[in-house]
Amino acid sequence: MEKENIGLYFGSFNPIHYGHLILANYIVENTILDKVCFVVSPQNPLKDKNILLDDKTRLDLVNLAIEDNALFFASDVEFALPKPSYTINTLKYLTKEHSDKNYSLIMGQDNLENFHRWKDYQEILDNYNIYVYPREKAEYQPLQNHKHIHLLSPPLINISSSYIRSLIKEGKDIRYLLPDKVREKILCLSLYK
């Protein structure tokens, strides 16, 4: 039986927005990846809790945003893994637990600049494909030529979660930046105020 190809899209998704969803959709439509898994990163105890919503709320918002797309799913796998969360540990865990799947990373081009500082980055490069999407102001990196690095050309959607949070604080309209269900839950629970 052929293995299912899963792209792991790590992020805080604080909150998830159309930029994330457009990129994920582009990836399943234009690569060999069958599905995209939104891996919600756990809250860093050293970061301001007023900025980052708790883990479960962010996971719930991701699930709301993707519930009508069978090619997307969310994961809380890193919530239970030892902290700090290292990508290599998550990859090894998932590969061992789900031997019927091939896992790949999805990351922004800006992450390639410091990729050589990631824990066991060479092991990631040797064993996993990495799908890299462009980021504004990211510069060429020699790693881009590696056989496991695949450069993508999705539309550049310059929406950020921090921009959405600032609009919410200012009481401005966010309706065209994220799915309605996510917006309604954020407003209903008075999140990011």
Side-chain angles (χ1 to χ4, degrees):
M1 192 169 114
E2 199 170 313
K3 291 187 176 187
E4 191 174 37
N5 293 304
I6 306 292
L8 300 173
Y9 189 3
F10 291 81
S12 58
F13 304 111
N14 189 41
I16 189 166
H17 54 68
Y18 280 132
H20 299 127
L21 299 170
I22 290 168
L23 174 64
N25 192 63
Y26 174 90
I27 287 169
V28 294
E29 293 292 327
N30 294 284
T31 70
I32 63 158
L33 297 179
D34 301 306
K35 292 183 179 176
V36 170
C37 174
F38 292 80
V39 183
V40 180
S41 303
Q43 186 167 16
N44 182 333
L46 302 176
K47 290 202 173 174
D48 186 349
K49 290 183 181 181
N50 294 324
I51 295 172
L52 188 63
L53 293 182
D54 67 273
D55 300 342
K56 185 182 180 317
T57 302
R58 289 181 291 117
L59 180 67
D60 289 347
L61 292 175
V62 170
N63 278 316
L64 264 180
I66 64 174
E67 68 184 3
D68 61 349
N69 191 328
L71 302 179
F72 297 166
F73 64 102
S75 174
D76 62 358
V77 63
E78 289 198 327
F79 296 2
L81 292 176
K83 310 289 185 290
S85 304
Y86 291 112
T87 302
I88 186 62
N89 296 346
T90 306
L91 286 166
K92 284 180 174 179
Y93 175 81
L94 289 171
T95 301
K96 182 180 173 194
E97 291 294 310
H98 305 283
S99 58
D100 60 330
K101 296 177 176 25
N102 285 322
Y103 289 100
S104 298
L105 281 181
I106 298 168
M107 70 166 62
Q109 188 179 1
D110 52 327
N111 284 309
L112 282 184
E113 294 173 25
N114 294 305
F115 191 65
H116 62 283
R117 294 191 179 128
W118 288 29
K119 183 180 188 306
D120 300 331
Y121 83 95
Q122 192 62 54
E123 187 176 352
I124 296 173
L125 269 178
D126 292 343
N127 296 293
Y128 299 93
N129 283 308
I130 303 173
Y131 290 86
V132 178
Y133 57 92
R135 292 297 285 252
E136 201 173 55
K137 298 180 183 171
E139 295 180 13
Y140 169 82
Q141 298 298 317
L143 275 180
Q144 290 178 203
N145 299 322
H146 191 280
K147 66 179 181 176
H148 287 154
I149 301 273
H150 308 277
L151 299 178
L152 303 171
S153 301
L156 264 176
I157 309 293
N158 203 7
I159 302 171
S160 71
S161 296
S162 59
Y163 173 66
I164 293 170
R165 292 193 306 269
S166 70
L167 291 178
I168 293 168
K169 280 185 182 155
E170 295 168 19
K172 294 186 177 171
D173 194 351
I174 57 169
R175 99 177 70 178
Y176 302 113
L177 299 170
L178 34 72
D180 286 340
K181 290 178 185 176
V182 174
R183 179 179 58 87
E184 286 162 11
K185 184 152 188 176
I186 287 171
L187 297 176
C188 178
L189 298 178
S190 296
L191 303 176
Y192 303 114
K193 294 255 176 189

